[in-house]
Amino acid sequence: MPLYWDDAYPIALALRAAHPGVDPLSVDWETLHRWVVALPDFADDPRLKDPLRLEEIQREWLEEVLAHG
Protein backbone atom coordinates (compact mmCIF):
# COMPACT_ATOMS: atom_id res chain seq x y z
CA MET A 1 0.00 0.00 0.00
CA PRO A 2 1.55 3.34 -0.99
CA LEU A 3 2.21 5.86 1.77
CA TYR A 4 1.59 9.59 1.43
CA TRP A 5 2.40 12.48 3.75
CA ASP A 6 -1.19 12.51 5.04
CA ASP A 7 -0.85 8.88 6.19
CA ALA A 8 0.68 9.75 9.56
CA TYR A 9 -0.42 6.61 11.39
CA PRO A 10 0.65 4.06 8.73
CA ILE A 11 3.95 5.93 8.34
CA ALA A 12 4.42 5.82 12.12
CA LEU A 13 3.85 2.05 12.10
CA ALA A 14 6.37 1.63 9.29
CA LEU A 15 8.93 3.77 11.14
CA ARG A 16 8.43 1.78 14.33
CA ALA A 17 9.08 -1.43 12.40
CA ALA A 18 12.05 0.01 10.52
CA HIS A 19 13.68 1.60 13.58
CA PRO A 20 12.85 -0.54 16.62
CA GLY A 21 13.99 0.79 19.95
CA VAL A 22 14.34 4.37 18.72
CA ASP A 23 12.77 7.07 20.87
CA PRO A 24 10.76 9.14 18.35
CA LEU A 25 11.45 12.29 20.37
CA SER A 26 15.19 11.82 19.82
CA VAL A 27 14.81 12.05 16.03
CA ASP A 28 15.36 15.50 14.54
CA TRP A 29 13.22 16.75 11.64
CA GLU A 30 15.91 16.19 8.99
CA THR A 31 16.42 12.57 10.03
CA LEU A 32 12.70 11.96 10.33
CA HIS A 33 12.18 13.36 6.84
CA ARG A 34 14.95 11.14 5.44
CA TRP A 35 13.54 8.06 7.17
CA VAL A 36 10.01 8.72 5.91
CA VAL A 37 11.01 9.20 2.27
CA ALA A 38 13.27 6.11 2.50
CA LEU A 39 10.35 3.86 3.47
CA PRO A 40 9.83 1.30 0.68
CA ASP A 41 6.13 2.17 0.25
CA PHE A 42 6.54 5.95 0.37
CA ALA A 43 5.01 7.29 -2.85
CA ASP A 44 4.58 11.01 -2.24
CA ASP A 45 6.72 13.98 -3.26
CA PRO A 46 9.76 13.99 -0.95
CA ARG A 47 10.14 17.75 -1.42
CA LEU A 48 6.94 18.38 0.55
CA LYS A 49 8.74 18.88 3.82
CA ASP A 50 6.08 20.29 6.10
CA PRO A 51 6.97 20.55 9.82
CA LEU A 52 3.33 20.03 10.80
CA ARG A 53 3.18 16.73 8.94
CA LEU A 54 6.48 15.62 10.44
CA GLU A 55 5.23 16.55 13.89
CA GLU A 56 2.05 14.54 13.37
CA ILE A 57 4.05 11.52 12.20
CA GLN A 58 6.35 11.83 15.20
CA ARG A 59 3.38 12.12 17.58
CA GLU A 60 1.72 8.99 16.11
CA TRP A 61 5.01 7.10 16.32
CA LEU A 62 5.48 8.14 19.95
CA GLU A 63 1.94 7.05 20.84
CA GLU A 64 2.63 3.63 19.28
CA VAL A 65 5.86 3.24 21.21
CA LEU A 66 4.20 4.27 24.46
CA ALA A 67 1.23 1.98 23.87
CA HIS A 68 3.14 -1.09 22.69
CA GLY A 69 6.70 -0.66 23.84
Side-chain angles (χ1 to χ4, degrees), residues 3-68:
L3 297 171
Y4 300 95
W5 285 116
D6 292 334
D7 299 328
Y9 183 69
I11 289 173
L13 292 177
L15 288 170
R16 183 171 169 246
H19 304 280
V22 171
D23 175 0
L25 295 179
S26 72
V27 181
D28 63 77
W29 294 134
E30 282 298 317
T31 302
L32 182 58
H33 180 266
R34 273 196 326 272
W35 287 0
V36 169
V37 300
L39 291 171
D41 294 330
F42 187 76
D44 212 336
D45 186 346
R47 296 172 295 175
L48 298 175
K49 188 158 114 180
D50 178 0
L52 292 177
R53 286 182 175 149
L54 291 172
E55 182 179 11
E56 183 178 356
I57 291 166
Q58 186 181 44
R59 184 175 49 252
E60 293 283 356
W61 185 10
L62 178 61
E63 288 178 12
E64 273 300 302
V65 168
L66 292 174
H68 304 287

